[in-house]
Amino acid sequence: MPSLAGLFFWMNRKIENINKITVTKPLKLDCGKTIKDFPLAYETYGKLNNNKDNAILVFHALTGDQFVAGTNPVTQKDGWWVTAVGPGKAIDTNKYFVICANVIGGCMGSLGPSDINKETNQPYGLDFPVITIKDIVRAQESLLDHLGIEKLLCATGGSMGGMQLLQFCATFPDKTFSAIPIACSSSHSAQNIALNELARQAIMADPVWDNGKYFLKNTQPKNGLAVARMVGHISYLSEQGMQEKFGRKLQEKADYEFSFDADFQVESYLRHQGRSFVERFDANSVLYITRAMDYFDLSKQYKGGLVEAFKNQSTKFLVVSFSSDWLYTTKENKDIVIALNASGADVSYSEIETDKGHDSFLLNEPEFLKTLKGFVESMHEKFKK
Amino acid sequence: MKQEFKVIADLLPNNTRVLDVGCGDGSLMNFLIKEKNIETRGLELDQNNVQECIYKGLTVIQGNAETELYQFPDQSFDYVVLSQTLQAFYKPDKVLNELLRIGKSVIVSIPNFGYWKVRTSLLFFGKMPVTKTLPNTWFNTPNLHMCTIKDLYNYCENQNINIKKVVGVNENNTSFIKRSNLEIKNLFSKLGIFLIG
């Protein structure tokens, strides 16, 4: 087991070799501060064709990164959306040019709280400005210019990726021909905020966190961060899915051990998820990104509410929800559809029947993947004309 | 192409905006787009049908017409089409009101329970009729509120719903139905197609 400090060194070294642009245009953030000359890390898959009509932008979720498909070069694990993106997959990288950028506030190469603040020569920590989903999306605009793409064939994302997508469509109404928001919401509900607060409090309650200054000791509040991840994982599964997967099964033992070790498989699973997360994610990044999600309320940005946000959309939408998702429910996704309908936008909607909960969009859900593939292909046919 | 779809297409002017409620696999929408340059949207309950529509590049919303028509704004479509489903709703009168709220005009087709074969089946055999347009038996039929062309005609008049055109369909024959020929057409039409609103 490598030491965490060593691990961080290793991560940073690897991160030097990933694709980055420097965004020189100053970006005035919603909080009032301005950032400029900041790094934006990204990855692409497939090739942009000569007509430049096959580009698909993917927005990643809370704990995702730019490594959508193939093998993540930093973690050496599968990209987070290998079920849907890759050669021959629903979003076929033999046909389409897939782009994904790491969100600002993140920890995979884009400007984030673990980066060095040039003014202090120390990592930002809590000096990092509080960012919003709108800031995150606006920071990514330069990437499309850099790649020479005027209009995307499609943009998509699940969960927080879907929120970025809704913001993207509202802020840049002509940038994409079609859009697939998946399992998301146009504003964070009280329950969403509460769960994020639980995650943040877990991190901040860890003494190692030290007001966000743990980097001075080259360490991480790994206990708190692991608990934060466990909270997340519970919310990504459905009650039924969890019961089917784990039930009351014991972890490699015949009977209770009358201790607080992980007797149950579900405990062992959560502990494992927590442990592996601290090896790849920065605690302060979780604070900043969950805050951005909580502040997200698209209707608040527009006087006429959500309908106004989607006014004059020529983008063709496909909204997808999952029946057992209690984090971003069918109802919340339908509200997006209703607003799009009311604003006269072209919107399709599908609710995928599954017991896999919010996580479904990352899993091998055949009905979902078929729908995704069918939509992207038919949109490509239309966009080509 | 089903005879019914041809009649519906003939009732629709070019370049209009149409909502197809219970659009199935989208064949009517496809036909309307190609033949009449109509802008279509569909509402469909069945997951496989929704997928089929999406594959065809059609705009479709998965949902239940009985409970989810509220999401469409008032008068947001030139026409709303409901093909042979009215009788399957728990509250067909409420659904009809919703259709009239959403569409400037509404096209509703119904399998005619007044068709002579249906009447004779009940009269001579004493059994609930099973025909091509009514293929299910009494215990598994989705049809909760069967009606005749005459019933719907009277209903519209009583509710002050403007009847613009009514077409009776029997095999490949179609004919216009008015108050004056209602009795005879109600006997010889398998299907009634109403343009109202």
Side-chain angles (χ1 to χ4, degrees):
Chain A
M1 178 79 186
S3 75
L4 260 179
L7 204 85
F8 261 65
F9 173 71
W10 169 80
M11 267 179 67
N12 288 332
R13 187 169 54 91
K14 282 281 192 178
I15 282 176
E16 292 309 310
N17 295 327
I18 62 183
N19 294 323
K20 269 184 202 178
I21 57 166
T22 301
V23 180
T24 49
K25 203 165 80 177
L27 177 67
K28 188 168 187 224
L29 304 170
D30 281 339
C31 69
K33 292 178 183 158
T34 300
I35 53 171
K36 60 177 182 178
D37 298 323
F38 62 89
L40 187 77
Y42 70 96
E43 188 55 274
T44 66
Y45 304 87
K47 282 200 177 102
L48 185 63
N49 65 16
N50 291 335
N51 296 332
K52 299 187 174 181
D53 62 17
N54 68 334
I56 298 178
L57 179 63
V58 174
F59 294 101
H60 72 70
L62 167 59
T63 63
D65 51 41
Q66 65 272 41
F67 301 112
V68 178
T71 303
N72 182 324
V74 177
T75 62
Q76 299 301 317
K77 289 184 176 150
D78 279 350
W80 59 267
W81 213 11
V82 283
T83 48
V85 184
K89 301 279 174 68
I91 298 176
D92 188 347
T93 50
N94 289 329
K95 284 158 88 174
Y96 307 112
F97 179 59
V98 175
I99 309 151
C100 184
N102 184 215
V103 298
I104 58 165
C107 49
M108 200 53 99
S110 292
L111 184 70
S114 57
D115 281 322
I116 300 292
N117 181 351
K118 283 167 198 157
E119 288 170 16
T120 61
N121 263 331
Q122 294 272 352
Y124 280 97
L126 293 196
D127 289 336
F128 195 76
V130 171
I131 48 164
T132 63
I133 295 291
K134 194 174 177 188
D135 297 332
I136 287 173
V137 167
R138 288 176 62 222
Q140 296 183 39
E141 194 200 2
S142 310
L143 181 60
L144 297 183
D145 294 338
H146 171 76
L147 296 169
I149 295 157
E150 263 178 45
K151 190 161 189 165
L152 296 157
L153 160 63
C154 186
T156 184
S159 199
M160 186 185 85
M163 296 180 204
Q164 291 174 71
L165 173 56
L166 296 178
Q167 181 72 62
F168 179 77
C169 292
T171 310
F172 307 110
D174 298 320
K175 276 282 177 194
T176 186
F177 181 74
S178 63
I180 316 172
I182 303 160
C184 67
S185 165
S186 62
S187 73
H188 241 205
S189 69
Q191 191 181 44
N192 294 148
I193 297 169
L195 287 164
N196 274 351
E197 174 62 0
L198 199 53
R200 284 190 293 266
Q201 286 297 333
I203 291 168
M204 295 190 286
D206 187 330
V208 178
W209 179 65
D210 190 20
N211 240 358
K213 290 202 167 81
Y214 52 86
F215 48 82
L216 294 173
K217 292 172 189 150
N218 219 0
T219 180
Q220 251 290 45
K222 53 180 181 175
N223 292 331
L225 185 55
V227 174
R229 182 59 168 168
M230 291 183 196
V231 174
H233 260 276
I234 296 167
S235 70
Y236 305 151
L237 303 175
S238 74
E239 194 238 342
Q240 192 192 350
M242 212 179 217
Q243 192 61 27
E244 271 169 25
K245 190 168 179 181
F246 304 108
R248 294 186 53 82
K249 279 182 276 191
L250 299 178
Q251 181 65 22
E252 293 167 0
K253 55 193 71 170
D255 206 346
Y256 303 157
E257 286 191 341
F258 297 95
S259 76
F260 295 104
D261 288 339
D263 273 6
F264 294 101
Q265 271 186 17
V266 67
E267 293 174 303
S268 170
Y269 167 82
L270 287 175
R271 289 181 189 196
H272 169 76
Q273 292 297 342
R275 264 198 312 274
S276 50
F277 186 60
V278 302
E279 289 171 14
R280 70 175 178 89
F281 219 87
D282 177 50
N284 285 336
S285 277
V286 172
L287 301 185
Y288 278 94
I289 301 173
T290 54
R291 205 68 188 133
M293 295 168 83
D294 292 346
Y295 282 160
F296 185 59
D297 181 358
L298 195 52
S299 56
K300 190 169 173 277
Q301 295 174 29
Y302 295 84
K303 272 189 184 146
L306 206 49
V307 178
E308 189 71 17
F310 295 131
K311 220 174 85 179
N312 304 325
Q313 282 288 339
S314 59
T315 301
K316 296 169 189 307
F317 286 85
L318 167 64
V319 178
V320 181
S321 75
F322 299 96
S323 57
S324 55
D325 185 348
W326 58 273
L327 195 57
Y328 300 105
T329 59
T330 279
K331 158 92 176 52
E332 284 171 281
N333 285 277
K334 261 200 173 148
D335 287 343
I336 299 166
V337 176
I338 291 167
L340 283 164
N341 257 325
S343 61
D346 186 316
V347 54
S348 288
Y349 168 72
S350 181
E351 181 191 28
I352 306 293
E353 205 53 58
T354 172
D355 67 2
K356 301 283 194 304
H358 182 60
D359 247 357
S360 300
F361 80 99
L362 299 171
L363 304 175
N364 187 12
E365 277 292 327
E367 297 304 313
F368 164 59
L369 295 172
K370 266 195 261 175
T371 306
L372 196 62
K373 180 182 160 79
F375 184 76
V376 172
E377 278 177 8
S378 73
M379 287 301 122
H380 194 214
E381 285 306 308
K382 285 187 180 176
F383 191 44
K384 276 197 287 194
K385 294 170 192 168
Chain B
M1 174 56 53
K2 279 157 62 178
Q3 185 66 18
E4 181 194 358
F5 287 1
K6 275 188 193 154
V7 174
I8 291 173
D10 285 343
L11 290 171
L12 294 168
N14 290 1
N15 310 312
T16 45
R17 210 173 121 84
V18 172
L19 174 66
D20 186 355
V21 176
C23 63
D25 67 359
S27 23
L28 176 63
M29 292 199 288
N30 237 351
F31 183 73
L32 296 177
I33 291 166
K34 283 186 185 128
E35 298 297 314
K36 313 209 78 170
N37 194 32
I38 281 171
E39 187 189 340
T40 66
R41 303 286 156 86
L43 180 69
E44 172 61 33
L45 190 57
D46 180 76
Q47 170 110 61
N48 289 328
N49 278 335
V50 169
Q51 259 179 24
E52 192 60 38
C53 289
I54 288 171
Y55 262 89
K56 289 173 181 163
L58 300 166
T59 302
V60 62
I61 288 175
Q62 192 173 343
N64 185 340
E66 184 98 46
T67 51
E68 291 172 45
L69 283 169
Y70 72 90
Q71 65 184 296
F72 298 100
D74 295 359
Q75 304 289 289
S76 51
F77 287 88
D78 297 315
Y79 292 85
V80 179
V81 175
L82 179 71
S83 165
Q84 299 196 50
T85 324
L86 187 66
Q87 73 284 351
F89 293 120
Y90 287 103
K91 293 182 175 166
D93 49 347
K94 293 257 163 63
V95 172
L96 208 52
N97 283 341
E98 278 290 86
L99 301 181
L100 289 161
R101 177 186 65 76
I102 298 164
K104 291 167 191 154
S105 296
V106 172
I107 296 175
V108 180
S109 74
I110 51 156
N112 180 23
F113 214 72
Y115 182 55
W116 70 270
K117 277 192 186 168
V118 175
R119 296 194 201 189
T120 50
S121 170
L122 201 55
L123 180 65
F124 293 117
F125 304 106
K127 285 159 68 173
M128 284 302 280
V130 176
T131 65
K132 256 190 210 165
T133 43
L134 298 168
N136 301 99
T137 40
W138 67 270
F139 55 86
N140 62 4
T141 177
N143 299 326
L144 307 172
H145 295 276
M146 287 306 313
C147 71
T148 69
I149 291 174
K150 191 175 166 183
D151 283 329
L152 188 56
Y153 202 101
N154 288 342
Y155 175 81
C156 290
E157 285 192 343
N158 291 338
Q159 298 292 317
N160 289 322
I161 298 167
N162 182 29
I163 300 174
K164 291 172 176 165
K165 271 178 193 166
V166 182
V167 180
V169 179
N170 188 2
E171 301 302 337
N172 291 323
N173 301 321
T174 62
S175 54
F176 287 110
I177 302 176
K178 299 188 181 77
R179 179 49 82 186
S180 57
N181 65 4
L182 184 57
E183 291 299 336
I184 191 84
K185 293 295 176 190
N186 191 33
L187 190 57
F188 290 109
S189 303
K190 278 187 178 174
L191 207 66
I193 301 172
F194 287 65
L195 173 63
I196 55 176

